[in-house]
Amino acid sequence: MDIKVNVRESEGDAYVVDLTGEIDVYTSPKVKDAITELIDQEHYNLVINLEKVRYIDSTGLGVLIGGLKRVREHGGSVNLVCTNPQIKKIFDITGLVKIFGIFDDEQSAMKALV
Amino acid sequence: MNPALLEVSSHGTVELKIPGRAEWVAVARLAVAAVASRLRFSVDEIEDIKLAIAEACTNSIQSAGGQDAGTIEIVCDALEDELRVTVRDHSPAAHLEPVKIGGLDEGRTEELGVFLIRALMDSVDYTSDPHTGTELVMAKRVTA
């Protein structure tokens, strides 16, 4: 079980974090490190692509929430790309759909940042 | 001795012991998913069960301060119309109280985990004792 993290620059000052694999108590620190590094470099507009994430637990949600809180302090935003019904369900039942912008594709998520 | 020991008995009970460390949680959720797949659960319901069991194990590890939580014992009772899973640890301080969605603190993943367990399973009960540890019993009924 592992998570692959790929960070790439996109339009404007926005960055995309592509995640592949499973995000749980073991792998979430790797995701946290990538997001923290971007924010420390003063990149506050992020799209986190969960399209290739098969599983996420509360620690993964916590990492995303923590990132969102930090970028919002600087007027930024985190949008998510997610099409996996099971993962969308987790965002739904926890009420996190209300605090994250969740989109079906990267283009829409990027467009909603600006 | 193997760090993870899986025993299958003839009466539908599966017992698993894992080291109480983050890297072993995936083993627990996959093993319980395999047991759940022997009942008439849908794929989505099995995903729910996997997440609930993983959250219970994660709670044990977080209750130990994120360090080694010793051994976590997982007992799956595959009944006719229900899967009952017991997760037992030796942590004196469980954080398993019901959480209202409006009361979620964005920074506290323990509460998110407990919320998910209660949302995904049909029944959740627990006992916590500073001397013997915490036992969480959760069940999901087969609806198909």
Side-chain angles (χ1 to χ4, degrees):
Chain A
M1 303 301 159
D2 202 2
I3 186 79
K4 288 182 182 174
V5 182
N6 179 54
V7 176
R8 55 192 163 89
E9 190 171 4
S10 189
E11 302 164 22
D13 186 38
Y15 274 73
V16 178
V17 181
D18 295 307
L19 301 176
T20 304
E22 301 187 341
I23 311 175
D24 67 3
V25 65
Y26 182 53
T27 61
S28 60
K30 195 170 175 182
V31 179
K32 184 177 183 177
D33 287 348
I35 294 173
T36 300
E37 189 176 337
L38 280 171
I39 297 171
D40 288 346
Q41 294 169 354
E42 302 183 352
H43 301 300
Y44 304 127
N45 287 307
L46 308 178
V47 168
I48 299 177
N49 192 331
L50 302 173
E51 273 190 294
K52 293 180 181 173
V53 171
R54 298 186 302 271
Y55 173 91
I56 189 167
D57 73 0
S58 63
T59 57
L61 296 177
V63 168
L64 299 178
I65 293 166
L68 178 65
K69 287 177 73 174
R70 280 197 66 194
V71 299
R72 277 187 175 172
E73 290 168 5
H74 299 277
S77 186
V78 173
N79 285 341
L80 307 178
V81 180
C82 180
T83 53
N84 181 321
Q86 183 67 19
I87 293 178
K88 287 174 92 168
K89 174 181 160 183
I90 301 306
F91 280 95
D92 193 32
I93 62 178
T94 54
L96 296 177
V97 286
K98 296 174 187 169
I99 70 164
F100 283 104
I102 301 178
F103 300 87
D104 288 339
D105 57 77
E106 187 181 314
Q107 191 178 6
S108 303
M110 192 62 66
K111 192 175 176 182
L113 281 178
V114 291
Chain B
M1 182 179 172
N2 287 337
L5 178 62
L6 186 65
E7 297 175 352
V8 182
S9 70
S10 59
H11 55 80
T13 297
V14 175
E15 297 181 11
L16 174 70
K17 294 179 181 178
I18 62 165
R21 298 193 302 272
E23 62 267 35
W24 289 98
V25 172
V27 173
R29 69 172 186 258
L30 293 175
V32 175
V35 176
S37 69
R38 299 186 68 86
L39 282 76
R40 299 185 311 279
F41 287 115
S42 68
V43 172
D44 286 351
E45 288 170 329
I46 291 172
E47 288 298 316
D48 292 348
I49 294 166
K50 273 172 68 178
L51 181 54
I53 272 57
E55 295 294 352
C57 294
T58 298
N59 193 289
S60 295
I61 294 165
Q62 289 176 330
S63 294
Q67 303 302 311
D68 192 334
T71 298
I72 299 174
E73 300 170 32
I74 299 133
V75 180
C76 303
D77 288 308
L79 308 174
E80 180 68 22
D81 292 313
E82 181 178 273
L83 177 66
R84 188 181 304 147
V85 183
T86 302
V87 177
R88 198 176 293 124
D89 65 39
H90 300 286
S91 167
H95 305 286
L96 295 164
E97 294 79 10
V99 179
K100 288 184 179 177
I101 195 162
L104 284 174
D105 181 327
E106 292 180 354
R108 296 188 61 183
T109 57
E110 298 97 332
E111 291 190 352
L112 270 175
V114 173
F115 181 84
L116 284 169
I117 292 170
R118 292 184 179 277
L120 298 173
M121 301 299 277
D122 291 321
S123 68
V124 178
D125 196 11
Y126 76 95
T127 56
S128 188
D129 182 286
H131 301 294
T132 58
T134 299
E135 182 177 280
L136 174 66
V137 182
M138 52 194 148
K140 195 166 185 74
R141 287 184 292 279
V142 176
T143 54

